[in-house]
Amino acid sequence: MVKVAVLGFGVVGSGVAEVITGKGDGMKKKVDELLELKYILDVRDFPDSPFAACFVTDFSVIEKDPEVSVVVETIGGVGAALDFTERALKAGKSVVTSNKELVATHGRRLMDLAAEHGAIYLFEASVGGGIPILRPLSECMAANDILEICGILNGTANYIFTRMVQDGVPFEQALKGAQANGYAEQNPSADVEGYDTCRKLSILSSIAFGWHLLPDQIPTKGITQITLEDEAYAAACRRRIKLLGRAIAGEDGTVCAYVEPHFVSEENPLAGVEDVFNAIMVKGNVTGDVMFYGRGAGKLPTASAVVADVIAAARKMERAGYQPWQENRPACVASVDALSSRWYVRLAEGELADSEVLTIPQAGEGEHGYLTQAMPRPQLEKALEGKKVLSVIRVLD
């Protein structure tokens, strides 16, 4: 019997406890004779919890207990979570996490630390929640050179776009609806400013390309400036607006990675992904396009992915760990300014030469929408000099 400690008793941590023990809605069949929940670490009191006997407030109790061999970190952030993870690994305990910020910024070093002390560091739930993506990317597509990753990686942003289109409500109202339904935090900046997507793309890219691409090397633009007029122009040219994380491998060994909203053609499978669902397209040189789709968050879907990693760690599966990333390669980070795309541009007045004109009934006086020819961003900015620009969004055909 492998004994497990869970750090943090929030949404994910409580879900992990339920799945391991079979209490609540969790399923216990596959873990019944393998795992036992021994500790839950949290600074809060939960006297009415069915797990009340498991709670401790001092991590050293877990750290020094030789019976605990797997630690689940669901605290979040890079403060206490990093400290406890390092201490657990140094004690020879495998660590499983859903903490995307920690993995994106310190994943390489933590994997090395785990290997040094005979442990495993796993983080399947850090990117797709309940969607299996990291292990398929690192194992099932191992025979491929990854050419591109492109995905909807944040369910909150996608839910907001869905409500704007289907209910005709502006961004601010759609965001309040997301918060009321528990899809967005009271401080939603990580979701709507693109930081959450950026961290997930960092992890995906590091696994796909084999070296640690850091979040601060990924230019990131959020969705707070998207308006109902932009959505209407998208519909007028049979497109949908989606917040995408993209990482594109160059023939010279470089990687161009960025996060920003896109006009996505209705013929693209990503255009039909609605509400809180996520979808990740991976293009391999052998497989072509492969798509991973499902709920990217939620208590039990994420807990399911976490517990699957716990089982893998408990069984000491040789293939459970990810191939260690190599060090960061600043010289291999390609500028997104060199990426040529078509663009959607909305002008308050004036014209844009050599571009397709878009019209909508609710356009303001003198306002026009345009789809440009393919060009890199600096060329577009030069063409827009002196014009009153309302919106600029990259097009994914």
Side-chain angles (χ1 to χ4, degrees):
M1 182 71 70
V2 173
K3 296 190 178 182
V4 180
V6 176
L7 312 184
F9 197 64
V11 173
V12 177
S14 61
V16 170
E18 288 182 13
V19 174
I20 289 177
T21 62
K23 296 177 181 178
D25 296 324
M27 294 180 63
K28 196 184 177 188
K29 292 180 181 178
K30 293 186 179 180
V31 300
D32 196 18
E33 298 179 357
L34 179 64
L35 306 179
E36 177 185 328
L37 178 65
K38 186 169 185 180
Y39 297 113
I40 300 173
L41 177 77
D42 203 292
V43 296
R44 300 167 294 173
D45 293 324
F46 296 89
D48 299 325
S49 169
F51 311 107
C54 297
F55 280 91
V56 296
T57 58
D58 183 358
F59 178 71
S60 64
V61 174
I62 298 169
E63 181 181 21
K64 295 176 182 178
D65 189 337
E67 289 191 337
V68 175
S69 56
V70 181
V71 174
V72 176
E73 184 275 300
T74 66
I75 299 172
V78 293
L82 176 59
D83 177 40
F84 295 159
T85 297
E86 290 177 332
R87 289 164 60 183
L89 293 174
K90 289 177 181 177
K93 304 178 190 299
S94 293
V95 176
V96 171
T97 186
S98 59
N99 186 341
K100 63 191 75 67
E101 183 177 4
L102 182 60
V103 177
T105 52
H106 298 283
R108 178 185 179 274
R109 184 169 61 84
L110 293 173
M111 283 189 286
D112 288 346
L113 189 63
E116 180 182 344
H117 294 275
I120 299 173
Y121 185 58
L122 297 175
F123 40 88
E124 179 65 64
S126 66
V127 171
I131 307 170
I133 174 63
L134 299 187
R135 195 163 290 125
L137 182 59
S138 62
E139 294 179 9
C140 303
M141 298 189 70
N144 286 260
D145 290 331
I146 303 302
L147 305 178
E148 181 176 350
I149 297 168
C150 181
I152 297 169
L153 302 174
N154 183 271
T156 300
N158 207 48
Y159 175 87
I160 289 171
F161 284 145
T162 300
R163 298 278 66 81
M164 290 177 72
V165 171
Q166 295 185 1
D167 300 339
V169 298
F171 171 84
E172 293 79 6
Q173 187 174 338
L175 172 58
K176 288 180 180 178
Q179 291 170 322
N181 284 288
Y183 299 140
E185 302 289 345
Q186 288 307 304
N187 179 359
S189 60
D191 296 318
V192 300
E193 298 292 353
Y195 307 138
D196 178 81
T197 297
C198 172
R199 292 161 185 158
K200 292 174 179 177
L201 184 64
S202 165
I203 298 168
L204 285 168
S205 300
S206 299
I207 288 180
F209 305 118
W211 52 274
H212 195 175
L213 180 63
L214 296 167
D216 61 10
Q217 295 173 313
I218 300 175
T220 299
K221 180 180 179 181
I223 66 172
T224 57
Q225 302 303 311
I226 303 298
T227 67
L228 287 174
E229 289 76 15
D230 296 324
E231 292 282 10
Y233 277 115
C237 60
R238 300 189 61 199
R239 287 171 169 82
R240 293 291 302 275
I241 301 178
K242 298 293 180 183
L243 179 66
L244 300 181
R246 294 184 72 193
I248 305 164
E251 295 181 359
D252 57 355
T254 61
V255 174
C256 173
Y258 68 96
V259 174
E260 62 185 65
H262 289 69
F263 264 34
V264 180
S265 168
E266 289 181 355
E267 298 177 359
N268 189 308
L270 294 175
V273 178
E274 302 286 10
D275 290 312
V276 296
F277 283 83
N278 289 6
I280 306 162
M281 300 283 292
V282 179
K283 179 180 290 186
N285 67 323
V286 178
T287 61
D289 289 330
V290 179
M291 182 171 174
F292 300 84
Y293 169 85
R295 290 185 180 273
K299 179 177 182 176
L300 291 181
T302 304
S304 170
V306 170
V307 175
D309 273 350
V310 173
I311 293 171
R315 291 174 174 167
K316 294 290 185 181
M317 295 170 60
E318 292 183 2
R319 297 176 62 196
Y322 307 112
Q323 188 70 24
W325 309 335
Q326 296 179 17
E327 292 183 357
N328 178 248
R329 302 176 182 175
C332 291
V333 179
S335 172
V336 70
D337 284 345
L339 181 64
S340 185
S341 305
R342 298 181 71 194
W343 301 86
Y344 153 74
V345 176
R346 182 159 62 100
L347 299 179
E349 56 187 26
E351 298 181 353
L352 195 57
D354 301 321
S355 299
E356 177 185 347
V357 180
L358 305 175
T359 59
I360 59 171
Q362 60 268 50
E365 185 176 354
E367 175 184 305
H368 290 93
Y370 298 91
L371 285 182
T372 74
Q373 302 296 316
M375 65 184 76
R377 186 185 292 273
Q379 183 179 341
L380 175 69
E381 292 175 348
K382 186 174 181 179
L384 294 178
E385 288 179 356
K387 294 181 170 58
K388 189 173 182 180
V389 180
L390 299 176
S391 299
V392 175
I393 300 175
R394 192 184 298 269
V395 175
L396 181 72
D397 287 316

